[in-house]
Amino acid sequence: SVHACPASAPTSHLSPGKMANEKHHRTIIHIDIDCFWAAVAMKEEPDLKSKPLGIQRKHVIATCNYVARQRGVKKMQHLKECLKVCPELITRPRKDMEEYRKISMKILNVVQEEINSTVERQGLDEFYLDVTEKLAREDKRESHHRHSKHRHIGSVCGSEHLYACGCGCTERLRRGSVIASRLRKAIEKKTGFSTSGGIGCSKMAAKLAGSLHKPNQQTTMLPNFLSEFIKSLPVTALPGCGQAISEILAEKFGINLVNELREKLSLKELVAAFGGRTGVSLFQTARGIDVRPVKKSLQRVKTMTAVDTFRSCKCKMELRSHMRRLLTLQILPRIDARYKSCGELPTLIRLTVRENDRRVSAMSKKHSRQVTVSSSIFMERNQISSDVDVSSSSAGNTTEEDLKSNSDARNKLILDVLFRLLGKILSPKRTSFNLTGLCMEFGRFGGRKKRLLHLSSSPSTLFKYFKRKLAVPPSITSTKQESSQCRQNARRRKKAEINEKEIEDMFA
């Protein structure tokens, strides 16, 4: 019999084994594209498949293929160290991120075509699929005996005899492995990329299973074995436990492994140390419980990110030049394209820097700050004009110099916001710093409502509006006679709009 206790409210008196038995009704598949950046390069140059290949980003090997990994090359390793370990290493520069995004979207489309289920894209090269409802639909159409003939495809983590469960999850996972195998073959056939897969009853179980056997393989994690499997793993293997939380656990409580987290800290202590949401999540995941749902991914991304790394940056002016380059080359073109396609602009800016201070610690630390802003700071003069119903032809008479000056003004505003965030990260009292990484994120996109505003409105209204939008049209500098005429036209236009509205209401 299966113990019944809601996973959303775990109790500290339950043992890890019992708690791991709670929720087995879901079947989750995790798909990971093998060495994605290197795979793109190998697809363009097939001769590189049998040779050690590294994707270089400045002085670092960002990723490498499995031939290079077998010879000792590691991801995010300095190029000189990689060449010492593997002198025959071949390097290729990292492509523009927009190309990787297009390839990732093609693979997402293939996954959605093949599997009529909820699909969540994680990053560019990982996908979660919830096939629970798909299996339920198959149960209605076909008999259970037909499904029982299927065997697990790929490896199985845990023994079916030692970790047997009477809820039917083993059979559902077996059928899930068949779906995962069919999907991986379809992806390789249509896109040319090999993938690794994991099958489990939760997102954590599926991801951990998929990381066990790579490349081009798949593994099934039995739910009753998950609690035993994660005991010896570092706490960073738990979802939501990043560098900051792991450092607090190690320094304050002396906890590095999942088993130590189980034994040393109760639910009450975790909530007191990290808050309700994080504390409960750590307590659950340390016992093999992960109730996170698979959320359907939209075709449009939620955040736009630009990342830059460097050996050392100790000057704020140098850091500002890095920010300006990322902003003009990577972020703003994507924001403008999204605004033209669907009328959405970001309202959240987040800045993350990686600091490497050898005097304090041998490891680098990440610091992050964010702020909510008005979407208008991302708009240029030509975008403002299209967002406003303008009746005068003078609004369209913009020269290249005007566009360039407005673009520079927009860049300056956004850079000022980023520098204010940097000031919160690096306190004014600090006289020196050493940054090795920079990440800018722009998110919380929303649509802009079209504003009915005419150039025949009062000059004061127009001046305030366009000053707030970073640009002042030349028609503002008009004579008193023209201003009086503008006010008369505004009153006539307002009266006409009211009459039109009354007529519409009559026929509504």
Side-chain angles (χ1 to χ4, degrees):
S1 61
V2 181
H3 210 53
C5 177
S8 58
T11 53
S12 57
H13 68 274
L14 289 177
S15 65
K18 288 184 178 180
M19 291 189 70
N21 274 336
E22 303 306 330
K23 294 282 185 178
H24 295 171
H25 66 282
R26 296 191 298 167
T27 305
I28 309 295
I29 298 174
H30 177 257
I31 300 294
D32 186 9
I33 306 172
D34 296 325
C35 53
F36 180 47
W37 289 0
V40 174
M42 290 188 293
K43 186 178 179 182
E44 295 178 353
E45 302 179 58
D47 296 339
L48 297 175
K49 289 184 178 181
S50 59
K51 300 176 182 178
L53 171 67
I55 303 301
Q56 183 177 351
R57 190 170 183 271
K58 294 189 176 180
H59 56 282
V60 173
I61 295 298
T63 187
C64 56
N65 63 1
Y66 285 92
V67 178
R69 296 181 193 185
Q70 291 173 358
R71 302 188 186 186
V73 180
K74 298 179 181 179
K75 294 190 293 183
M76 300 308 296
Q77 192 175 17
H78 198 280
L79 179 60
K80 291 182 179 179
E81 297 176 3
C82 294
L83 292 175
K84 288 180 182 178
V85 176
C86 181
E88 62 275 17
L89 179 69
I90 301 173
T91 61
R92 291 290 183 270
R94 194 201 73 175
K95 292 182 173 294
D96 183 67
M97 288 301 297
E98 192 60 32
E99 295 188 33
Y100 294 121
R101 292 187 192 98
K102 291 178 181 178
I103 296 173
S104 178
M105 289 304 299
K106 289 181 181 178
I107 298 174
L108 175 62
N109 293 333
V110 171
V111 173
Q112 291 175 336
E113 289 173 4
E114 292 292 324
I115 305 295
N116 186 19
S117 301
T118 305
V119 182
E120 177 183 346
R121 187 176 68 162
Q122 194 81 15
L124 295 177
D125 59 344
E126 295 184 35
F127 305 90
Y128 287 101
L129 297 87
D130 190 340
V131 296
T132 307
E133 294 183 1
K134 178 179 176 63
L135 296 178
R137 291 194 298 266
E138 291 180 356
D139 282 335
K140 294 181 181 180
R141 293 195 302 265
E142 302 179 13
S143 65
H144 186 73
H145 289 289
R146 183 173 179 180
H147 297 312
S148 62
K149 296 179 182 179
H150 291 152
R151 294 184 179 181
H152 281 290
I153 297 181
S155 305
V156 180
C157 194
S159 171
E160 293 187 28
H161 302 288
L162 295 176
Y163 299 94
C165 181
C167 70
C169 59
T170 305
E171 177 61 31
R172 288 191 292 271
L173 292 175
R174 186 182 294 119
R175 292 159 57 193
S177 69
V178 176
I179 295 174
S181 176
R182 187 170 68 245
L183 174 61
R184 290 175 51 245
K185 290 178 181 177
I187 293 173
E188 187 169 11
K189 181 180 179 181
K190 293 184 178 181
T191 66
F193 294 100
S194 66
T195 58
S196 297
I199 305 94
C201 291
S202 64
K203 293 173 74 173
M204 179 175 68
K207 183 174 176 64
L208 291 174
S211 62
L212 291 176
H213 300 95
K214 287 186 174 185
N216 201 19
Q217 299 182 62
Q218 67 179 51
T219 307
T220 303
M221 175 74 71
L222 297 183
N224 286 351
F225 182 70
L226 177 61
S227 177
E228 185 72 20
F229 174 77
I230 63 177
K231 282 172 58 176
S232 58
L233 296 180
V235 291
T236 51
L238 301 177
C241 186
Q243 181 182 356
I245 294 178
S246 62
E247 286 179 357
I248 295 174
L249 290 172
E251 295 172 3
K252 191 174 181 179
F253 303 102
I255 294 174
N256 295 298
L257 302 177
V258 174
N259 195 38
E260 296 173 348
L261 179 60
R262 291 180 187 172
E263 296 175 351
K264 292 185 178 182
L265 293 181
S266 64
L267 174 59
K268 186 176 180 180
E269 292 171 328
L270 283 169
V271 171
F274 301 102
R277 185 175 182 179
T278 304
V280 171
S281 176
L282 287 172
F283 186 85
Q284 290 179 329
T285 53
R287 287 154 178 79
I289 297 176
D290 181 15
V291 296
R292 294 175 301 158
V294 176
K295 299 179 181 179
K296 185 176 180 180
S297 293
L298 302 175
Q299 293 293 327
R300 298 191 296 270
V301 296
K302 293 183 178 180
T303 60
M304 294 183 181
T305 307
V307 182
D308 195 8
T309 58
F310 24 81
R311 291 186 179 181
S312 178
C313 180
K314 301 179 181 180
C315 175
K316 288 188 177 181
M317 293 305 296
E318 181 184 355
L319 187 61
R320 192 178 181 92
S321 66
H322 285 296
M323 290 181 177
R324 184 184 293 108
R325 182 171 55 82
L326 290 179
L327 198 63
T328 55
L329 297 181
Q330 296 189 30
I331 293 294
L332 290 180
R334 295 177 63 197
I335 290 177
D336 293 341
R338 179 154 177 170
Y339 180 72
K340 290 178 182 178
S341 63
C342 56
E344 292 182 343
L345 289 170
T347 58
L348 180 72
I349 300 178
R350 180 184 293 111
L351 177 67
T352 304
V353 295
R354 187 175 65 216
E355 186 177 13
N356 190 2
D357 193 350
R358 296 291 180 180
R359 297 172 300 176
V360 180
S361 173
M363 295 180 63
S364 59
K365 290 188 176 182
K366 292 181 180 179
H367 308 279
S368 180
R369 291 291 186 277
Q370 67 182 38
V371 65
T372 301
V373 297
S374 171
S375 60
S376 61
I377 71 170
F378 295 97
M379 299 188 70
E380 292 184 350
R381 160 80 185 283
N382 57 341
Q383 293 173 333
I384 296 170
S385 303
S386 63
D387 205 35
V388 178
D389 189 5
V390 180
S391 60
S392 175
S393 61
S394 61
N397 299 331
T398 55
T399 63
E400 293 184 4
E401 293 182 359
D402 294 332
L403 294 176
K404 186 177 184 303
S405 62
N406 282 286
S407 178
D408 293 341
R410 176 178 67 161
N411 295 352
K412 185 179 182 303
L413 271 180
I414 301 173
L415 285 172
D416 289 343
V417 173
L418 290 167
F419 250 68
R420 285 199 294 270
L421 292 175
L422 182 66
K424 294 181 180 180
I425 296 174
L426 305 174
S427 60
K429 296 181 181 179
R430 292 185 55 179
T431 57
S432 62
F433 59 88
N434 183 20
L435 303 182
T436 58
L438 169 69
C439 176
M440 301 188 307
E441 296 179 56
F442 298 80
R444 204 180 292 165
F445 283 81
R448 287 181 55 84
K449 295 181 180 179
K450 188 173 182 179
R451 179 170 177 176
L452 292 175
L453 184 71
H454 304 276
L455 288 181
S456 57
S457 302
S458 65
S460 60
T461 303
L462 283 169
F463 182 78
K464 291 177 182 178
Y465 180 79
F466 280 100
K467 184 179 179 182
R468 190 167 64 249
K469 301 300 182 182
L470 312 180
V472 180
S475 60
I476 292 300
T477 57
S478 59
T479 63
K480 292 182 179 180
Q481 186 178 0
E482 291 173 339
S483 300
S484 177
Q485 186 68 31
C486 285
R487 284 193 292 269
Q488 291 178 9
N489 291 339
R491 284 193 292 269
R492 293 194 194 100
R493 205 175 288 275
K494 185 177 180 180
K495 186 177 180 180
E497 288 177 359
I498 293 173
N499 293 336
E500 288 176 5
K501 189 176 186 305
E502 289 175 351
I503 294 172
E504 289 176 0
D505 294 338
M506 291 173 61
F507 291 95

PDB file of all heavy atoms in Angstrom, residues 189-212:
ATOM      1  N   LYS A 189      16.834  12.310 -36.776  1.00  0.00           N
ATOM      2  CA  LYS A 189      16.525  12.148 -38.198  1.00  0.00           C
ATOM      3  C   LYS A 189      16.204  13.489 -38.847  1.00  0.00           C
ATOM      4  O   LYS A 189      16.645  13.770 -39.974  1.00  0.00           O
ATOM      5  CB  LYS A 189      15.344  11.188 -38.359  1.00  0.00           C
ATOM      6  CG  LYS A 189      14.948  10.929 -39.807  1.00  0.00           C
ATOM      7  CD  LYS A 189      13.776   9.968 -39.895  1.00  0.00           C
ATOM      8  CE  LYS A 189      13.374   9.726 -41.342  1.00  0.00           C
ATOM      9  NZ  LYS A 189      12.203   8.789 -41.437  1.00  0.00           N
ATOM     10  N   LYS A 190      15.458  14.371 -38.160  1.00  0.00           N
ATOM     11  CA  LYS A 190      14.992  15.625 -38.756  1.00  0.00           C
ATOM     12  C   LYS A 190      15.978  16.774 -38.593  1.00  0.00           C
ATOM     13  O   LYS A 190      15.961  17.714 -39.395  1.00  0.00           O
ATOM     14  CB  LYS A 190      13.647  16.010 -38.149  1.00  0.00           C
ATOM     15  CG  LYS A 190      12.523  15.050 -38.506  1.00  0.00           C
ATOM     16  CD  LYS A 190      11.187  15.526 -37.948  1.00  0.00           C
ATOM     17  CE  LYS A 190      10.060  14.589 -38.341  1.00  0.00           C
ATOM     18  NZ  LYS A 190       8.749  15.046 -37.835  1.00  0.00           N
ATOM     19  N   THR A 191      16.815  16.733 -37.551  1.00  0.00           N
ATOM     20  CA  THR A 191      17.733  17.852 -37.302  1.00  0.00           C
ATOM     21  C   THR A 191      19.196  17.460 -37.379  1.00  0.00           C
ATOM     22  O   THR A 191      20.060  18.326 -37.548  1.00  0.00           O
ATOM     23  CB  THR A 191      17.461  18.480 -35.917  1.00  0.00           C
ATOM     24  OG1 THR A 191      17.779  17.530 -34.885  1.00  0.00           O
ATOM     25  CG2 THR A 191      16.005  18.895 -35.798  1.00  0.00           C
ATOM     26  N   GLY A 192      19.509  16.180 -37.206  1.00  0.00           N
ATOM     27  CA  GLY A 192      20.902  15.735 -37.239  1.00  0.00           C
ATOM     28  C   GLY A 192      21.618  15.831 -35.909  1.00  0.00           C
ATOM     29  O   GLY A 192      22.830  15.587 -35.847  1.00  0.00           O
ATOM     30  N   PHE A 193      20.910  16.141 -34.821  1.00  0.00           N
ATOM     31  CA  PHE A 193      21.537  16.265 -33.503  1.00  0.00           C
ATOM     32  C   PHE A 193      21.192  15.052 -32.646  1.00  0.00           C
ATOM     33  O   PHE A 193      20.020  14.675 -32.536  1.00  0.00           O
ATOM     34  CB  PHE A 193      21.072  17.536 -32.789  1.00  0.00           C
ATOM     35  CG  PHE A 193      21.514  18.805 -33.460  1.00  0.00           C
ATOM     36  CD1 PHE A 193      20.645  19.519 -34.268  1.00  0.00           C
ATOM     37  CD2 PHE A 193      22.803  19.280 -33.291  1.00  0.00           C
ATOM     38  CE1 PHE A 193      21.050  20.689 -34.897  1.00  0.00           C
ATOM     39  CE2 PHE A 193      23.223  20.447 -33.921  1.00  0.00           C
ATOM     40  CZ  PHE A 193      22.341  21.146 -34.725  1.00  0.00           C
ATOM     41  N   SER A 194      22.215  14.464 -32.028  1.00  0.00           N
ATOM     42  CA  SER A 194      21.972  13.366 -31.092  1.00  0.00           C
ATOM     43  C   SER A 194      21.599  13.924 -29.729  1.00  0.00           C
ATOM     44  O   SER A 194      22.015  15.025 -29.357  1.00  0.00           O
ATOM     45  CB  SER A 194      23.209  12.476 -30.973  1.00  0.00           C
ATOM     46  OG  SER A 194      24.286  13.190 -30.371  1.00  0.00           O
ATOM     47  N   THR A 195      20.815  13.165 -28.974  1.00  0.00           N
ATOM     48  CA  THR A 195      20.328  13.626 -27.677  1.00  0.00           C
ATOM     49  C   THR A 195      20.479  12.524 -26.634  1.00  0.00           C
ATOM     50  O   THR A 195      20.557  11.339 -26.964  1.00  0.00           O
ATOM     51  CB  THR A 195      18.851  14.043 -27.748  1.00  0.00           C
ATOM     52  OG1 THR A 195      18.081  12.924 -28.207  1.00  0.00           O
ATOM     53  CG2 THR A 195      18.657  15.215 -28.683  1.00  0.00           C
ATOM     54  N   SER A 196      20.493  12.932 -25.379  1.00  0.00           N
ATOM     55  CA  SER A 196      20.446  12.007 -24.249  1.00  0.00           C
ATOM     56  C   SER A 196      19.124  12.219 -23.531  1.00  0.00           C
ATOM     57  O   SER A 196      18.611  13.346 -23.474  1.00  0.00           O
ATOM     58  CB  SER A 196      21.614  12.254 -23.290  1.00  0.00           C
ATOM     59  OG  SER A 196      22.843  12.017 -23.937  1.00  0.00           O
ATOM     60  N   GLY A 197      18.570  11.142 -22.968  1.00  0.00           N
ATOM     61  CA  GLY A 197      17.249  11.230 -22.357  1.00  0.00           C
ATOM     62  C   GLY A 197      17.216  10.666 -20.957  1.00  0.00           C
ATOM     63  O   GLY A 197      17.994   9.791 -20.596  1.00  0.00           O
ATOM     64  N   GLY A 198      16.306  11.195 -20.167  1.00  0.00           N
ATOM     65  CA  GLY A 198      16.046  10.691 -18.822  1.00  0.00           C
ATOM     66  C   GLY A 198      14.555  10.586 -18.599  1.00  0.00           C
ATOM     67  O   GLY A 198      13.788  11.443 -19.044  1.00  0.00           O
ATOM     68  N   ILE A 199      14.134   9.521 -17.918  1.00  0.00           N
ATOM     69  CA  ILE A 199      12.716   9.284 -17.666  1.00  0.00           C
ATOM     70  C   ILE A 199      12.525   9.090 -16.171  1.00  0.00           C
ATOM     71  O   ILE A 199      13.256   8.315 -15.546  1.00  0.00           O
ATOM     72  CB  ILE A 199      12.178   8.054 -18.428  1.00  0.00           C
ATOM     73  CG1 ILE A 199      12.465   8.179 -19.931  1.00  0.00           C
ATOM     74  CG2 ILE A 199      10.681   7.890 -18.197  1.00  0.00           C
ATOM     75  CD1 ILE A 199      13.728   7.517 -20.406  1.00  0.00           C
ATOM     76  N   GLY A 200      11.569   9.799 -15.588  1.00  0.00           N
ATOM     77  CA  GLY A 200      11.308   9.695 -14.160  1.00  0.00           C
ATOM     78  C   GLY A 200       9.913  10.182 -13.831  1.00  0.00           C
ATOM     79  O   GLY A 200       9.151  10.609 -14.713  1.00  0.00           O
ATOM     80  N   CYS A 201       9.591  10.151 -12.532  1.00  0.00           N
ATOM     81  CA  CYS A 201       8.278  10.609 -12.075  1.00  0.00           C
ATOM     82  C   CYS A 201       8.284  12.081 -11.676  1.00  0.00           C
ATOM     83  O   CYS A 201       7.275  12.585 -11.184  1.00  0.00           O
ATOM     84  CB  CYS A 201       7.806   9.751 -10.895  1.00  0.00           C
ATOM     85  SG  CYS A 201       7.404   8.065 -11.366  1.00  0.00           S
ATOM     86  N   SER A 202       9.411  12.758 -11.823  1.00  0.00           N
ATOM     87  CA  SER A 202       9.516  14.185 -11.524  1.00  0.00           C
ATOM     88  C   SER A 202      10.588  14.782 -12.414  1.00  0.00           C
ATOM     89  O   SER A 202      11.374  14.059 -13.050  1.00  0.00           O
ATOM     90  CB  SER A 202       9.864  14.411 -10.046  1.00  0.00           C
ATOM     91  OG  SER A 202      11.148  13.890  -9.747  1.00  0.00           O
ATOM     92  N   LYS A 203      10.643  16.104 -12.463  1.00  0.00           N
ATOM     93  CA  LYS A 203      11.650  16.780 -13.278  1.00  0.00           C
ATOM     94  C   LYS A 203      13.048  16.504 -12.746  1.00  0.00           C
ATOM     95  O   LYS A 203      13.988  16.302 -13.527  1.00  0.00           O
ATOM     96  CB  LYS A 203      11.373  18.290 -13.295  1.00  0.00           C
ATOM     97  CG  LYS A 203      10.095  18.661 -14.013  1.00  0.00           C
ATOM     98  CD  LYS A 203       9.745  20.128 -13.871  1.00  0.00           C
ATOM     99  CE  LYS A 203      10.647  21.000 -14.719  1.00  0.00           C
ATOM    100  NZ  LYS A 203      10.192  22.419 -14.719  1.00  0.00           N
ATOM    101  N   MET A 204      13.210  16.474 -11.413  1.00  0.00           N
ATOM    102  CA  MET A 204      14.512  16.194 -10.834  1.00  0.00           C
ATOM    103  C   MET A 204      14.978  14.786 -11.167  1.00  0.00           C
ATOM    104  O   MET A 204      16.133  14.568 -11.548  1.00  0.00           O
ATOM    105  CB  MET A 204      14.472  16.385  -9.319  1.00  0.00           C
ATOM    106  CG  MET A 204      15.789  16.092  -8.616  1.00  0.00           C
ATOM    107  SD  MET A 204      15.786  16.453  -6.841  1.00  0.00           S
ATOM    108  CE  MET A 204      14.650  15.200  -6.255  1.00  0.00           C
ATOM    109  N   ALA A 205      14.079  13.810 -11.046  1.00  0.00           N
ATOM    110  CA  ALA A 205      14.437  12.420 -11.341  1.00  0.00           C
ATOM    111  C   ALA A 205      14.820  12.250 -12.808  1.00  0.00           C
ATOM    112  O   ALA A 205      15.797  11.564 -13.132  1.00  0.00           O
ATOM    113  CB  ALA A 205      13.275  11.503 -10.983  1.00  0.00           C
ATOM    114  N   ALA A 206      14.067  12.874 -13.707  1.00  0.00           N
ATOM    115  CA  ALA A 206      14.349  12.746 -15.136  1.00  0.00           C
ATOM    116  C   ALA A 206      15.687  13.381 -15.499  1.00  0.00           C
ATOM    117  O   ALA A 206      16.466  12.808 -16.273  1.00  0.00           O
ATOM    118  CB  ALA A 206      13.222  13.368 -15.949  1.00  0.00           C
ATOM    119  N   LYS A 207      15.980  14.557 -14.929  1.00  0.00           N
ATOM    120  CA  LYS A 207      17.236  15.237 -15.251  1.00  0.00           C
ATOM    121  C   LYS A 207      18.445  14.465 -14.708  1.00  0.00           C
ATOM    122  O   LYS A 207      19.455  14.319 -15.401  1.00  0.00           O
ATOM    123  CB  LYS A 207      17.216  16.656 -14.688  1.00  0.00           C
ATOM    124  CG  LYS A 207      18.463  17.468 -15.049  1.00  0.00           C
ATOM    125  CD  LYS A 207      18.330  18.896 -14.592  1.00  0.00           C
ATOM    126  CE  LYS A 207      19.615  19.677 -14.876  1.00  0.00           C
ATOM    127  NZ  LYS A 207      19.892  19.795 -16.312  1.00  0.00           N
ATOM    128  N   LEU A 208      18.342  13.993 -13.473  1.00  0.00           N
ATOM    129  CA  LEU A 208      19.453  13.219 -12.898  1.00  0.00           C
ATOM    130  C   LEU A 208      19.675  11.920 -13.667  1.00  0.00           C
ATOM    131  O   LEU A 208      20.815  11.507 -13.883  1.00  0.00           O
ATOM    132  CB  LEU A 208      19.175  12.915 -11.424  1.00  0.00           C
ATOM    133  CG  LEU A 208      19.220  14.112 -10.462  1.00  0.00           C
ATOM    134  CD1 LEU A 208      18.780  13.687  -9.063  1.00  0.00           C
ATOM    135  CD2 LEU A 208      20.629  14.693 -10.415  1.00  0.00           C
ATOM    136  N   ALA A 209      18.592  11.284 -14.091  1.00  0.00           N
ATOM    137  CA  ALA A 209      18.730  10.048 -14.857  1.00  0.00           C
ATOM    138  C   ALA A 209      19.392  10.299 -16.204  1.00  0.00           C
ATOM    139  O   ALA A 209      20.267   9.535 -16.635  1.00  0.00           O
ATOM    140  CB  ALA A 209      17.351   9.412 -15.059  1.00  0.00           C
ATOM    141  N   GLY A 210      19.008  11.382 -16.867  1.00  0.00           N
ATOM    142  CA  GLY A 210      19.581  11.674 -18.177  1.00  0.00           C
ATOM    143  C   GLY A 210      21.050  12.012 -18.141  1.00  0.00           C
ATOM    144  O   GLY A 210      21.752  11.850 -19.151  1.00  0.00           O
ATOM    145  N   SER A 211      21.556  12.474 -17.000  1.00  0.00           N
ATOM    146  CA  SER A 211      22.974  12.835 -16.901  1.00  0.00           C
ATOM    147  C   SER A 211      23.881  11.642 -16.604  1.00  0.00           C
ATOM    148  O   SER A 211      25.106  11.797 -16.606  1.00  0.00           O
ATOM    149  CB  SER A 211      23.159  13.883 -15.792  1.00  0.00           C
ATOM    150  OG  SER A 211      22.780  13.349 -14.533  1.00  0.00           O
ATOM    151  N   LEU A 212      23.303  10.457 -16.367  1.00  0.00           N
ATOM    152  CA  LEU A 212      24.118   9.299 -15.972  1.00  0.00           C
ATOM    153  C   LEU A 212      24.826   8.660 -17.161  1.00  0.00           C
ATOM    154  O   LEU A 212      25.978   8.246 -17.045  1.00  0.00           O
ATOM    155  CB  LEU A 212      23.240   8.257 -15.274  1.00  0.00           C
ATOM    156  CG  LEU A 212      22.707   8.649 -13.898  1.00  0.00           C
ATOM    157  CD1 LEU A 212      21.782   7.567 -13.352  1.00  0.00           C
ATOM    158  CD2 LEU A 212      23.862   8.887 -12.936  1.00  0.00           C
TER     159      LEU A 212
END
